[in-house]
Amino acid sequence: MLHNLGSINLDHVYRVPHLVRPGETLASHDYRVGLGGKGANQSLAMARAGGRVCHWGRLGRQDAWARDSLARAGVDVTHVSLVDAPSGHAIIQVDDAGENAIILFRGANHGFRRADLEALVAATRPGDWLLLQNECNGLEQLLPLAAGHGLRIAFNPAPMSEAVSELPLPACQLLFLNRSEAAGITGLALEAGAEALLDALAERLPGCEVVLTLGGEGAWYQRGDQRHHQPALAVTAVDTTGAGDTFIGYYLAALQRGAVVADCLAQASAAAALAVQRPGAAESIPVAAEVARLLDDSTPPPAP
Ligand code: ATP
């Protein structure tokens, strides 16, 4: 079982003719509310991939539906607490040109107390995997606690913030980084190439395995001087939101089944290629059968 201590957000999406101007009251012509948050998306992706994942999260009491929808997808929600605080949520305006403006409220995602973190660690066994992102509080306490207990930590420091550099990153076994996270950790410019980023990461975090995702340029795995590149599938992307979360969930589910790195990358990349061809985040994450079909279709037939 992998334990994921992660955010659960409610995305309130309003379609508007233009983004609201200062002082203006504007009627929205469509409204949807959906499940979001990097933590929830990664748990969902792992469950859809057939992985076993237990989510540790906090939601406002009135939003139990979000917990139920994770449970229906196969996520173990025993440790998703309903609390007397507003849920983390995003108010998203999307205008007719596709431009958006977002207000994010961290809410219950930032209410973890030390006792909650200790309870998580006490419920795990040395060698278990713990997955973390950067949308919940308490990471500076949890990383040393978890490492001290012998947990294997997979960390996706998204969204990147200055506080990430202060964390004891060498405690992590596996880091999932996109371009801006890799640039933030190494101090390199966003324009830096894959090789420069990987070299700098190897120098900064020599003991960590790194999976670096670079959108349409594909993904790299690095451990010591071992490197593996997985090209992205050639598809027409309509919405890349959630591509990274899909990639991470599928990678970890494959790892949990004992797959070798090349297979983990291939599964993750196929799942993410499906996700980018669909709008939305959580709703764009494919199920395992779709990924298997895509991989079968893209495997050349054996030579006669
Ligand atoms: P996001 O924050 O949008 O969820 P991210 O920035 O964390 O994503 P990316 O590096 O953009 O992550 O993408 C993750 C993976 O998704 C890539 O390594 C690749 O496998 C796949 N992917 C992303 N964009 C494309 C694309 N245009 N075509 C095919 N695959 C893509």
Side-chain angles (χ1 to χ4, degrees):
M1 179 70 82
L2 174 142
H3 298 267
N4 179 12
L5 182 135
S7 54
I8 308 176
N9 278 339
L10 311 183
D11 289 342
H12 298 270
V13 184
Y14 298 86
R15 299 296 310 221
V16 285
H18 59 261
L19 303 184
V20 177
R21 300 184 182 113
E24 184 182 27
T25 300
L26 183 65
S28 164
H29 52 76
D30 187 44
Y31 166 70
R32 281 178 302 116
V33 60
L35 183 60
K38 287 177 187 302
N41 287 344
Q42 292 177 18
S43 281
L44 205 58
M46 200 174 160
R48 288 198 181 145
R52 285 172 298 113
V53 54
C54 175
H55 194 95
W56 293 68
R58 303 176 87 250
L59 265 175
R61 206 166 289 291
Q62 66 286 1
D63 297 317
W65 64 267
R67 182 184 63 177
D68 298 341
S69 98
L70 282 174
R72 275 196 304 279
V75 176
D76 180 339
V77 295
T78 312
H79 298 288
V80 174
S81 313
L82 299 178
V83 300
D84 292 319
S87 300
H89 61 269
I91 305 288
I92 305 170
Q93 304 176 42
V94 182
D95 74 12
D96 289 343
E99 185 62 85
N100 65 41
I102 303 176
I103 300 174
L104 187 65
F105 184 67
R106 300 186 296 202
N109 292 319
H110 265 239
F112 285 95
R113 296 156 309 162
R114 186 169 176 96
D116 301 320
L117 310 177
E118 287 171 352
L120 182 157
V121 170
T124 58
R125 284 173 309 192
D128 284 351
W129 278 97
L130 172 66
L131 172 62
L132 302 169
Q133 310 79 28
N134 192 27
E135 287 189 331
C136 292
N137 71 309
L139 295 183
E140 68 294 346
Q141 298 177 59
L142 182 53
L143 281 169
L145 273 176
H149 191 59
L151 296 185
R152 289 182 286 179
I153 302 168
F155 182 35
N156 170 222
M160 187 60 194
S161 66
E162 278 186 15
V164 167
S165 310
E166 322 264 289
L167 292 171
L169 295 179
C172 302
Q173 164 131 9
L174 175 57
L175 288 167
F176 289 101
L177 307 173
N178 70 6
R179 184 182 292 281
S180 68
E181 291 138 20
I185 285 177
T186 58
L188 292 183
L190 274 176
E191 298 72 38
E195 198 167 317
L197 288 169
L198 289 167
D199 286 347
L201 286 164
E203 196 171 313
R204 164 91 167 75
L205 297 162
C208 299
E209 292 172 69
V210 171
V211 174
L212 173 66
T213 64
L214 296 181
E217 291 173 45
W220 279 258
Y221 168 88
Q222 171 167 269
R223 177 185 208 162
D225 53 13
Q226 180 195 349
R227 268 185 201 170
H228 190 103
H229 179 230
Q230 170 70 49
L233 275 77
V235 297
T236 305
V238 298
D239 181 356
T240 61
T241 319
D245 296 336
T246 303
F247 188 100
I248 291 169
Y250 267 80
Y251 186 100
L252 289 170
L255 190 66
Q256 194 175 56
R257 288 195 296 273
V260 296
V261 165
D263 284 345
C264 295
L265 287 172
Q267 291 276 333
S269 152
L274 287 168
V276 301
Q277 293 175 76
R278 303 165 181 171
E283 61 272 37
S284 74
I285 302 170
V287 295
E290 296 173 284
V291 176
R293 225 168 15 246
L294 176 60
L295 285 170
D296 280 351
D297 291 349
S298 49
T299 308

